[in-house]
């Protein structure tokens, strides 16, 4: 009786052997090309979810494929283990964050190992361990010396009850997400990294990131937000300090009819002081500070303001402009002041209409005349200047530079470049993070911890209550210390670092995770492996993590640690895993196992099927990977995640899809086992004799599949179409009539080896098992990726004419479906072309598909 496919037994067997033999342990090897594959490391939240499984399955296919291609592959895994969730769990479960974190790491590591991912676990790191964050503290000290780390007062969201700074996303309706008490905006001293010093390089270097998705580069460019314009000075009517405005539209200055200041700007209360409506202004400022900063600037958000009882002077017209505090202006963007030109800016237009402020047309369109009494919206296109003094009649785009010249000549402004990017605030009033290595001395001021005294250890014996500020500030044994300079009494900094700092350099540490000498990186090893050849993670990290990582890399370069400027060569942003939600009218959201026959298993009422959206614990539309592995095996889960959608698209969960993936692997198992006696002791076919048509067709399909899968994995990451091609080849093998004929057995052997080799990166356990069953001694993962014979794979041949500088020099015959890269490769192997180009320099190549290749060369 034929042995049945037992995925659990097969997978546990091969996972144990890979571990025992150190199959995925790697070291530097100058004889092989290197390939550094990395997925964004996870936060140890407790258990892996389907999003993790999909992300890591994608990465594992690439890593295994590259290994079979002969690359020296680095594929590490670690844990982004500092952060707020651990503190929250400590409060809820009355457990220390370190205990909670390390328990979760152990659980998740076991889950990842059960999936069969090809990680080099010898390189495992956890960012909450002193052997990691000590080097981060060293980098901080070096940045401090260079002026790249500094302290300043900044406006922050502050919860008086929790005594901590909150990120914007932690403020919900003006209330603290933890204690539901009112959040205030407060000026606090915070530590910052001077990322703005690298704004221009971060922006221009996006053009070099040709392996990144354009949508990520666009988000980063927008976030950096370079604007070229002018600073313009608007004198105050009362003679106090002029208001400075940054504008990219100096062509509209004559149309500026009122001034707007961000409600939270310190000049607002200063200007309103002593005015009749001072109380109204103060109330408005408090109201705006509670509004969501992102929503405030949205086009459809209601524009609100209050008159400050004062005017400034338009420097070009000399006219008075009323000054308003407004909710749609932000204090930390530009100067926090905006000259309002309502006829040519839609938000200003809406504000002016609401508060009955004057409109002045200064740009007329070419095809009609604007009239302020009939305008229903701002005119924002190009046109000719009017009501603009000596600049009347000029095209507004041409007047930009001329007006900038005039402002500078008259001392009323100057050219300027502005960036939206702001320095990175890294201070956190929390416990579970890397301590900032600074000491405060009444005599010496701010003093860095001596490098030889690093790491500043995070004390473990603390109680996390969730009340008040960080426990660090309440621990005398941590706070009280000695000044490194004078030896007198001093106090430690009690803020910890933003956890994005840890994730901004971890990929370098993977290159030498056991390095104990400063700076914690063996530069020879780092420079062998870096930059990352393929990075994989979610699009939600486009701004923070990916931008900070680029910044941190440039800083380490300038500190002399690294010799490269960009950490990531290629980036893949995978889509989300989605599933419809299920809701009971009585019990709310339900887990899938709480529904049977469309009814709630708790109360029996009919369940409402909601829209398909990202899997989340909140909506309970989640599937436990462990349950799937127990039922179907890790290989099935991997195949489903890779087959259901292209990697950059969202994957929609399907019970039928997981069942179909399981059936496919069973078909592979059965077809190999059915032919086992016929092919186990015979060499595969690799001749060129004229075969019977069924064998010739199977060979053609085999080599076409090798070509297809190789292209899909190597160039396009189209895992779904690669799997589909393998399925078609399996179907073709099923259609072949079994025979004991030697020729048939050898052709079948070739096909089976191809199926298993192509399947190896995708479903590695079953592929390894069957590879051994057909008589191979070496592991499949260390075997060579199969090559295809272009002649066998070709449907028909076409002739490509080869020209050099427009003159025909040769012709070659290639398969009709050959790709451009292989055609060019064949052309340059042609003896006549080699001779013709012997003394020439290649300029470019022009390929006309299916017809000719023209090589442009010069002496």
């Amino acid at each position: 009786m034929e042995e049945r496919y037992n995925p659990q037994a097969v997978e546990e067997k091969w996972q144990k052997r890979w571990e025992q033999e150190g199959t995925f342990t790697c070291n530097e090897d100058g004889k092989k090309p290197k390939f550094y594959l990395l997925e964004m490391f996870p936060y140890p939240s407790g258990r892996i979810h389907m999003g993790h499984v999909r992300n890591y399955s994608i990465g594992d296919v690439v890593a295994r494929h590259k290994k079979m291609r002969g690359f020296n592959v680095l594929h590490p895994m670690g844990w982004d283990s500092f952060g707020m969730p651990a503190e929250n769990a400590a409060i809820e479960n009355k457990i220390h964050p370190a205990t909670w974190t390390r328990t979760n790491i152990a659980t998740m590591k076991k889950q990842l190992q059960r999936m069969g991912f090809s990680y080099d676990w010898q390189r495992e790191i956890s960012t909450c361990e002193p052997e990691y964050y000590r080097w981060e503290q060293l980098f901080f000290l070096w940045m401090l010396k260079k002026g790249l780390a500094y302290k300043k007062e900044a406006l922050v969201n502050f919860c008086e009850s929790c005594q901590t700074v909150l990120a914007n996303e932690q403020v919900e309706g003006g209330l603290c997400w933890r204690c539901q008490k009112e959040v205030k905006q407060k000026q606090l001293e915070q530590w910052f990294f001077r990322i703005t010093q690298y704004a221009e390089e971060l922006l221009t270097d996006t053009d070099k990131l040709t392996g990144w998705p354009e949508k990520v580069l666009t988000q980063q460019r927008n976030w950096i937000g370079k604007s070229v314009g002018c600073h313009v000075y608007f004198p105050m009517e009362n003679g106090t300090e002029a208001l400075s405005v940054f504008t990219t539209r100096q062509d509209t200055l004559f149309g500026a009819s009122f001034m707007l200041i961000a409600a939270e700007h310190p000049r607002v209360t200063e200007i309103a002081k002593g005015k009749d409506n001072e109380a109204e202004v103060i109330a408005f400022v408090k109201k705006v500070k509670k509004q969501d900063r992102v929503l405030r600037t949205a086009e459809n958000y209601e524009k609100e303001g209050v008159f400050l009882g004062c005017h400034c002077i338009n420097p070009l017209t000399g006219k008075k402009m009323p000054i308003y505090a407004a909710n749609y202006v932000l204090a930390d963007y530009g100067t926090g002041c905006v000259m309002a030109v309502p006829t040519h800016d839609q938000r200003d237009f809406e504000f002016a209409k609401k508060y009955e402020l004057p409109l002045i047309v200064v740009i007329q369109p070419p095809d009609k005349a604007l009239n302020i009494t009939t305008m229903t919206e701002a005119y924002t296109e190009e046109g000719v200047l009017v009501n603009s003094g000596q600049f009347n009649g000029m095209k507004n785009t041409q007047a930009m530079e001329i007006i900038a010249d005039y402002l500078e000549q008259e001392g009323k402004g100057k050219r300027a470049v502005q960036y939206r990017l702001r320095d990175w605030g890294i201070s956190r009033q929390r416990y579970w993070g890397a301590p900032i290595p600074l000491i405060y001395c009444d005599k010496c001021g701010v003093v860095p911890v001596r490098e030889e005294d690093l790491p500043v250890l995070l004390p473990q014996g603390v109680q996390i209550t969730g009340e008040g500020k960080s426990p660090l500030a309440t621990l005398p044994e941590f706070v009280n210390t000695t000044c490194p300079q004078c030896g007198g009494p001093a106090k430690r900094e009690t803020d910890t670092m933003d956890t994005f700092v840890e994730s901004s350099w971890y990929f370098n540490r993977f290159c030498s995770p056991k390095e104990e000498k400063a700076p914690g990186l063996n530069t020879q090893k780092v420079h062998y492996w870096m930059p990352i050849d393929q990075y994989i993670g979610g699009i939600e990290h486009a701004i923070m993590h990916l931008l900070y990582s680029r910044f941190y890399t440039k800083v380490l370069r300038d500190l002399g640690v690294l010799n490269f400027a960009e950490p990531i060569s290629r980036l893949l942003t995978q889509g989300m895993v989605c599933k419809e939600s299920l809701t009971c009218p009585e019990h709310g959201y339900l887990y899938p196992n709480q529904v049977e026959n469309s009814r709630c298993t708790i109360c029996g009422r009919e369940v409402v099927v909601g829209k398909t959206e990202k899997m989340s614990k909140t909506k309970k539309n989640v599937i436990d990977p462990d349950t799937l592995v127990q039922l179907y095996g890790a290989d099935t889960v991997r195949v489903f995640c890779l087959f259901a959608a292209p990697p950059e698209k969202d994957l929609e969960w399907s019970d039928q899809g997981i069942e179909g993936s399981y059936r496919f692997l069973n078909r592979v198992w059965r077809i190999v086992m059915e032919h086992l006696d016929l092919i186990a002791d015979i060499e595969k076919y690799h001749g060129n004799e004229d075969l019977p048509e069924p064998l010739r067709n199977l060979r053609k399909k085999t080599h076409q599949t090798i070509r297809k899968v190789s292209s899909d994995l190597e160039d396009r990451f189209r895992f779904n179409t690669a799997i589909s091609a393998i399925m078609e080849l399996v179907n073709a093998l099923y259609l072949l009539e079994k025979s004991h004929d030697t020729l048939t057995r050898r052709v079948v052997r070739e096909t089976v080896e191809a199926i298993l080799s192509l399947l190896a990166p995708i479903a590695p356990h079953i592929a390894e098992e069957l590879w051994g069953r057909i008589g191979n001694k070496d592991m499949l993962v260390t075997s060579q990726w199969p090559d295809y014979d272009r002649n066998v794979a070709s449907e028909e041949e076409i002739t490509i004419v080869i020209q050099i500088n427009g003159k025909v020099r040769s012709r070659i015959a290639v398969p009709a479906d050959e790709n451009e890269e292989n055609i060019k490769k064949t052309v340059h192997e042609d003896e006549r072309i080699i001779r013709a180009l012997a003394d020439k320099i290649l300029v470019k190549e022009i390929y006309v598909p299916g017809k000719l290749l023209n090589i442009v060369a010069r002496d």
Side-chain angles (χ1 to χ4, degrees):
M1 185 177 176
E2 181 186 304
E3 183 180 346
R4 296 186 63 184
Y5 173 44
N6 183 340
Q8 285 72 25
V10 168
E11 290 166 2
E12 289 173 13
K13 167 188 171 180
W14 284 102
Q15 288 164 14
K16 184 176 181 181
R17 182 172 170 185
W18 291 330
E19 182 180 3
Q20 289 174 341
E21 297 189 16
T23 303
F24 305 112
T25 301
C26 67
N27 293 292
E28 298 70 35
D29 184 351
K31 297 178 182 179
K32 291 183 177 181
K34 69 91 179 179
F35 193 86
Y36 187 175
L37 184 288
L38 185 64
E39 306 99 358
M40 294 178 186
F41 66 166
Y43 182 82
S45 56
R47 302 183 68 80
I48 66 171
H49 52 67
M50 287 304 298
H52 289 129
V53 172
R54 187 187 189 199
N55 187 8
Y56 303 147
S57 294
I58 291 168
D60 202 51
V61 172
V62 179
R64 288 174 174 272
H65 176 240
K66 288 293 183 181
K67 187 175 183 69
M68 293 179 71
R69 284 283 197 188
F71 285 82
N72 186 25
V73 177
L74 171 59
H75 188 201
M77 176 50 70
W79 313 96
D80 189 10
S81 47
F82 271 141
M84 276 294 285
E87 286 197 45
N88 296 337
I91 295 165
E92 293 171 10
N93 304 312
K94 300 191 184 305
I95 185 174
H96 194 282
T99 304
W100 184 83
T101 299
R102 289 170 184 143
T103 300
N104 290 347
I105 287 174
T107 299
M108 292 176 70
K109 180 177 179 178
K110 186 176 180 181
Q111 288 181 291
L112 293 178
Q113 289 174 322
R114 182 61 188 86
M115 288 300 303
F117 297 133
S118 59
Y119 297 129
D120 180 355
W121 286 106
Q122 300 299 314
R123 295 174 181 266
E124 181 182 10
I125 61 174
S126 177
T127 61
C128 70
E129 302 300 338
E131 55 265 30
Y132 183 85
Y133 67 74
R134 67 174 295 185
W135 306 117
E136 188 173 304
Q137 292 174 339
L138 178 65
F139 297 146
F140 178 93
L141 296 180
W142 289 358
M143 292 172 75
L144 188 68
K145 289 179 185 177
K146 287 275 191 179
L148 294 172
Y150 68 97
K151 197 173 192 180
K152 71 170 182 179
E153 274 203 347
L155 199 64
V156 295
N157 301 313
F158 192 82
C159 176
E160 293 285 359
S161 174
C162 296
Q163 286 291 295
T164 190
V165 171
L166 299 175
N168 290 332
E169 58 268 24
Q170 293 171 326
V171 181
E172 301 170 350
L175 302 179
C176 172
W177 67 287
R178 179 190 283 176
C179 69
Q180 299 302 305
K181 298 290 177 62
E182 182 180 352
V183 172
K184 297 181 179 180
Q185 291 204 312
K186 185 175 182 179
Q187 289 282 345
L188 277 185
E189 283 199 323
Q190 302 277 291
W191 283 98
F192 288 82
F193 284 160
R194 208 179 297 273
I195 189 173
T196 52
Q197 187 167 314
Y198 289 81
E200 185 62 27
E201 187 182 2
L202 287 166
L203 181 63
T204 56
D205 280 2
T206 57
D207 293 334
K208 301 175 183 178
L209 302 176
T210 56
W212 285 42
E214 189 58 35
K215 59 184 176 182
V216 175
L217 297 177
T218 298
Q219 286 188 49
Q220 291 209 1
R221 289 167 185 146
N222 291 340
W223 189 260
I224 295 168
K226 182 178 181 179
S227 300
V228 178
C230 291
H231 279 300
V232 185
Y233 314 125
F234 290 76
M236 296 290 290
E237 66 171 348
N238 58 9
T240 57
E241 182 185 354
L243 295 176
S244 177
V245 167
F246 174 79
T247 179
T248 61
R249 295 299 308 276
Q250 58 267 26
D251 58 319
T252 64
L253 255 168
F254 284 84
S257 58
F258 56 95
M259 178 66 67
L260 300 174
I261 307 182
E264 65 270 29
H265 197 293
R267 288 294 298 269
V268 168
T269 51
E270 176 190 315
I271 292 171
K273 190 172 184 179
K275 304 292 191 301
D276 292 342
N277 67 337
E278 181 180 3
E280 181 188 0
V281 172
I282 292 172
F284 177 74
V285 170
K286 287 183 177 179
K287 174 185 175 182
V288 172
K289 284 182 176 180
K290 295 178 183 179
Q291 293 175 350
D292 185 284
R293 286 168 52 83
V294 176
L295 290 177
R296 278 169 56 187
T297 60
E299 291 290 335
N300 58 353
Y301 200 77
E302 184 182 358
K303 281 73 179 170
E304 296 179 302
V306 62
F307 179 51
L308 299 185
C310 193
H311 294 75
C312 62
I313 309 299
N314 186 313
L316 295 191
T317 67
K319 294 180 179 179
K320 288 184 179 182
M321 300 167 54
I323 305 172
Y324 279 74
N327 68 338
Y328 68 96
V329 181
L330 299 179
D332 59 357
Y333 188 72
T335 64
C337 303
V338 172
M339 64 173 205
V341 186
T343 48
H344 304 294
D345 181 279
Q346 184 59 31
R347 295 190 303 172
D348 295 346
F349 181 86
E350 293 170 15
F351 191 92
K353 286 292 187 180
K354 181 174 183 177
Y355 294 100
E356 299 181 348
L357 294 166
L359 279 69
I360 305 168
V361 173
V362 292
I363 301 175
Q364 286 285 10
D367 56 345
K368 61 180 179 179
L370 298 177
N371 187 322
I372 59 172
T373 62
T374 57
M375 288 181 70
T376 57
E377 61 182 3
Y379 177 72
T380 58
E381 303 301 321
E382 296 179 7
V384 176
L385 291 185
V386 296
N387 300 321
S388 299
Q390 68 266 44
F391 307 106
N392 281 343
M394 294 183 184
K395 287 185 177 179
N396 72 300
T397 52
Q398 294 174 345
M400 290 279 199
E401 290 299 308
I402 298 172
I403 294 176
D405 289 338
Y406 179 78
L407 289 169
E408 291 188 330
Q409 290 165 8
E410 298 295 317
K412 296 179 178 181
K414 62 180 181 180
R415 285 179 172 84
V417 175
Q418 188 89 37
Y419 296 94
R420 181 175 181 266
L421 182 67
R422 292 293 174 262
D423 281 338
W424 175 9
I426 65 157
S427 291
R428 298 294 181 268
Q429 291 71 42
R430 299 197 282 263
Y431 165 68
W432 194 237
I436 296 176
L438 293 171
I439 291 171
Y440 297 94
C441 173
D442 289 339
K443 180 179 178 182
C444 304
V446 180
V447 182
V449 172
R450 287 188 294 253
E451 292 182 11
E452 59 267 29
D453 292 336
L454 296 178
V456 176
L457 292 171
L458 190 65
Q460 298 297 300
V462 298
Q463 292 293 320
I464 313 294
T465 64
E467 299 175 0
K469 53 190 175 181
S470 164
L472 294 181
T474 65
L475 290 176
E477 63 271 27
F478 177 80
V479 175
N480 298 325
T481 187
T482 302
C483 175
Q485 286 187 7
C486 69
K491 294 186 181 298
R492 291 192 188 278
E493 171 64 73
T494 57
D495 284 358
T496 54
M497 287 193 234
D498 179 11
T499 55
F500 276 114
V501 179
E502 282 89 63
S503 60
S504 293
W505 70 282
Y506 78 105
F507 34 79
N508 293 307
R509 182 66 176 173
F510 274 137
C511 300
S512 54
K514 304 295 191 294
E515 182 61 49
E516 296 181 355
K517 295 179 182 178
L521 298 172
N522 182 312
T523 53
Q524 185 176 357
K525 293 181 178 181
V526 172
H527 293 153
Y528 171 83
W529 289 112
M530 290 291 292
I532 302 165
D533 294 285
Q534 182 66 62
Y535 199 35
I536 302 172
I539 187 68
E540 66 271 18
H541 299 293
I543 301 299
M544 309 295 277
H545 164 56
L546 289 170
L547 187 63
Y548 290 157
S549 296
R550 295 182 59 221
F551 160 68
Y552 212 86
T553 298
K554 294 177 190 299
V555 169
L556 293 181
R557 174 203 61 192
D558 292 346
L559 292 172
V561 178
L562 304 177
N563 66 359
F564 53 90
E566 290 291 342
I568 302 159
S569 297
R570 291 184 66 184
L571 173 68
L572 171 66
T573 53
Q574 92 281 353
M576 299 180 295
V577 180
C578 303
K579 190 182 188 303
E580 74 278 357
S581 58
L582 302 169
T583 311
C584 170
E586 183 176 344
H587 295 98
Y589 288 115
L590 300 175
Y591 288 108
N593 61 4
Q594 293 177 311
V595 178
E596 285 185 10
N597 299 320
S598 300
R599 294 193 174 275
C600 173
T601 56
I602 304 170
C603 66
R605 298 183 67 177
E606 189 170 352
V607 168
V608 177
V609 179
K611 64 180 181 179
T612 298
E613 51 195 323
K614 179 184 178 182
M615 285 188 178
S616 71
K617 293 179 181 177
T618 304
K619 297 188 175 179
K620 299 185 179 180
N621 60 335
V622 293
I623 300 293
D624 181 13
D626 279 3
T627 301
L628 296 178
V629 171
Q630 291 167 10
L631 286 172
Y632 302 106
D635 280 343
T636 293
V637 179
R638 292 167 61 119
V639 169
F640 169 74
C641 287
L642 297 164
F643 182 58
E648 72 279 6
K649 303 292 186 182
D650 289 348
L651 182 157
E652 186 173 336
W653 176 260
S654 163
D655 292 335
Q656 294 77 19
I658 196 80
E659 290 281 356
S661 299
Y662 185 58
R663 286 196 300 272
F664 164 61
L665 292 183
N666 272 279
R667 279 172 59 79
V668 172
W669 179 273
R670 285 197 303 272
I671 195 67
V672 175
M673 297 303 288
E674 286 174 8
H675 287 87
L676 194 59
D677 292 341
L678 300 175
I679 65 173
D681 58 351
I682 198 167
E683 185 181 3
K684 72 176 182 179
Y685 182 84
H686 40 65
N688 56 8
E689 59 199 270
D690 189 20
L691 295 171
E693 184 176 0
L695 298 183
R696 187 168 66 251
N697 290 341
L698 181 61
R699 281 207 82 214
K700 179 179 289 188
K701 187 67 174 177
T702 299
H703 285 262
Q704 289 175 338
T705 304
I706 295 171
R707 181 180 62 194
K708 168 68 174 169
V709 174
S710 298
S711 174
D712 283 346
L713 299 192
E714 185 71 27
D715 304 323
R716 306 188 303 149
F717 291 170
R718 290 293 180 261
F719 310 118
N720 55 328
T721 57
I723 294 170
S724 179
I726 298 171
M727 289 176 172
E728 290 179 13
L729 182 57
V730 171
N731 290 339
L733 182 56
Y734 265 101
L735 294 175
L736 183 72
E737 188 176 338
K738 286 179 66 174
S739 171
H740 288 76
D741 173 71
T742 300
L743 195 57
T744 302
R745 291 165 59 203
R746 292 181 63 198
V747 170
V748 170
R749 170 83 188 205
E750 181 187 27
T751 298
V752 168
E753 285 198 6
I755 290 170
L756 300 180
S757 295
L758 300 177
L759 198 57
I762 298 163
H765 308 88
I766 188 173
E768 286 282 11
E769 179 67 19
L770 294 174
W771 183 257
R773 294 288 185 105
I774 64 174
N776 293 296
K777 303 301 181 185
D778 295 333
M779 278 194 289
L780 182 50
V781 71
T782 58
S783 300
Q784 185 176 350
W785 185 258
D787 286 325
Y788 67 91
D789 186 319
R790 283 183 285 172
N791 293 323
V792 176
S794 175
E795 291 292 348
E796 60 179 52
E797 288 190 337
I798 57 174
T799 299
I800 301 293
V801 175
I802 311 166
Q803 297 177 340
I804 297 178
N805 296 328
K807 295 183 179 180
V808 176
R809 296 295 186 183
S810 185
R811 289 177 173 83
I812 59 169
V814 297
D817 51 357
E818 187 61 278
N819 61 45
E820 180 178 343
E821 182 182 349
N822 285 333
I823 288 173
K824 289 179 178 178
K825 181 180 178 182
T826 304
V827 166
H828 286 282
E829 292 172 350
D830 185 284
E831 288 295 332
R832 284 168 290 187
I833 300 302
I834 293 173
R835 288 195 300 269
L837 293 175
D839 300 318
K840 296 185 182 296
I841 298 172
L842 184 65
V843 177
K844 63 179 178 179
E845 295 175 331
I846 303 168
Y847 177 61
V848 180
K851 294 182 179 180
L852 66 86
L853 179 72
N854 183 27
I855 301 170
V856 180
R858 60 182 175 85
D859 294 330

